[in-house]
Amino acid sequence: MVTLSDGESHKHISSFKFTKTVALVAAITAGVVIIAVIYCAIAFTPLRVTIPGYPDSHSRKDAITNAIKIDSLESLITRWELYSENLSRVVAGEEIVSLDSLVKEGRAKYLKNKSLEELGKQDSILRETVREEEEFSLNGSQRDLPIEGRHFFTPLLGVITQGFDRVNHPAVDIAAPESSVVKAVLEGTVVFSGWSEESGYTIQIQHPGDLISSYRHNMKLLKDVGDRVSAGTPVSLVGNTGSLTTGDHLHFELWHDGKAVNPTDYISF
């Protein structure tokens, strides 16, 4: 029992009987109060960022930035898929696919619950943004991945017998045994597959980013005009066809934005 009394007169003021039940209730109450105080301090104050694994403001900012980049990349991939599909259809003489038809078919899942009016408004905003980017672009081209940022597949492993010269030989010659498999360096669409007097059996592929790869003097072509190919897809077999050749080899050219570039700067043969 706890008794309160006056220190001078020793007069009894009050008393309190302390039992095990009261002690248990007091301990539980004190524990709940302490836990509540700690929770509030962590949940509603900057102390929460001290918890390991809890995202701080920088982490949340990075997450938002990454989400925006992912969305942009998805949009870019969709655009290039549409471009490749339309290029294939044009070569085959078929009707092209429009962006509006893709939206109507629901291939863009995040748009399927939006009204046509809202879609039209967003499409207008997108078109205006693209127009402004093209207007103020230094080179007037679309914003694509630079050639340095692309991962090229090696078309053929062999010995380079003649290097690149922008004027006299805008290509590299790779010597390899006859019938060696030649592979596409990037994904794209075959825009030429046929014979020429000088180059023999030749195949050319249009890739995203204003890139064109050319494979000449083949013994056999494995793809036709309009075929879609992925990086590493076999497209031809090494040969010695055409008048401008003296042995089995691949004459490989890489063109970017209408200019020949040195393939060895980006590809290991």
Side-chain angles (χ1 to χ4, degrees):
M1 177 179 292
V2 178
T3 302
L4 297 178
S5 60
D6 192 327
E8 295 181 356
S9 62
H10 300 286
K11 183 179 178 179
H12 177 75
I13 299 176
S14 64
S15 61
F16 179 75
K17 188 176 182 180
F18 193 78
T19 63
K20 292 183 179 180
T21 302
V22 174
L24 180 61
V25 172
I28 294 175
T29 303
V32 171
V33 171
I34 293 173
I35 293 174
V37 171
I38 295 175
Y39 173 80
C40 292
I42 294 176
F44 304 106
T45 67
L47 288 175
R48 61 180 179 272
V49 299
T50 61
I51 300 176
Y54 190 91
D56 55 13
S57 59
H58 297 289
S59 299
R60 291 194 295 272
K61 181 179 179 181
D62 291 340
I64 294 174
T65 302
N66 291 334
I68 294 174
K69 290 181 178 179
I70 291 173
D71 183 71
S72 299
L73 288 174
E74 289 178 347
S75 300
L76 183 62
I77 291 172
T78 301
R79 287 166 52 194
W80 277 117
E81 287 180 346
L82 178 62
Y83 170 80
S84 300
E85 176 67 21
N86 282 338
L87 182 60
S88 176
R89 287 173 174 265
V90 168
V91 172
E94 301 175 355
E95 184 179 357
I96 65 173
V97 179
S98 65
L99 178 62
D100 294 336
S101 65
L102 293 182
V103 174
K104 291 178 181 178
E105 291 173 6
R107 291 176 65 178
K109 297 181 179 179
Y110 62 94
L111 296 176
K112 64 181 180 180
N113 295 324
K114 298 185 178 182
S115 64
L116 292 177
E117 181 180 354
E118 186 176 0
L119 290 175
K121 181 179 179 181
Q122 292 183 354
D123 183 64
S124 299
I125 294 174
L126 175 60
R127 292 175 187 273
E128 181 65 20
T129 301
V130 173
R131 186 192 65 78
E132 292 177 354
E133 290 180 352
E134 292 179 346
E135 179 179 355
F136 293 102
S137 176
L138 293 178
N139 55 11
S141 61
Q142 295 181 351
R143 295 178 60 186
D144 297 308
L145 284 176
I147 187 173
E148 294 81 6
R150 298 181 179 275
H151 177 69
F152 291 86
F153 197 94
T154 302
L156 177 68
L157 292 176
V159 178
I160 297 179
T161 56
Q162 185 171 358
F164 177 86
D165 185 285
R166 190 178 301 276
V167 177
N168 299 318
H169 190 251
V172 291
D173 290 344
I174 305 103
E178 185 182 31
S179 298
S180 297
V181 178
V182 178
K183 302 176 182 179
V185 293
L186 289 172
E187 65 173 352
T189 303
V190 177
V191 293
F192 179 82
S193 179
W195 169 272
S196 70
E197 182 65 28
E198 295 182 348
S199 301
Y201 287 110
T202 300
I203 187 167
Q204 294 178 343
I205 303 175
Q206 173 75 60
H207 308 286
D210 292 329
L211 282 165
I212 295 178
S213 58
S214 180
Y215 315 76
R216 306 189 181 191
H217 304 305
N218 299 281
M219 181 186 73
K220 184 178 180 180
L221 303 178
L222 305 179
K223 296 296 179 180
D224 297 321
V225 173
D227 287 347
R228 292 280 301 277
V229 297
S230 301
T233 300
V235 294
S236 64
L237 301 179
V238 171
N240 185 31
T241 60
S243 60
L244 299 180
T245 179
T246 56
D248 295 323
H249 76 285
L250 170 67
H251 177 97
F252 177 74
E253 299 178 3
L254 186 62
W255 294 75
H256 179 236
D257 198 19
K259 299 178 181 178
V261 296
N262 189 351
T264 58
D265 290 341
Y266 313 103
I267 305 172
S268 298
F269 294 93

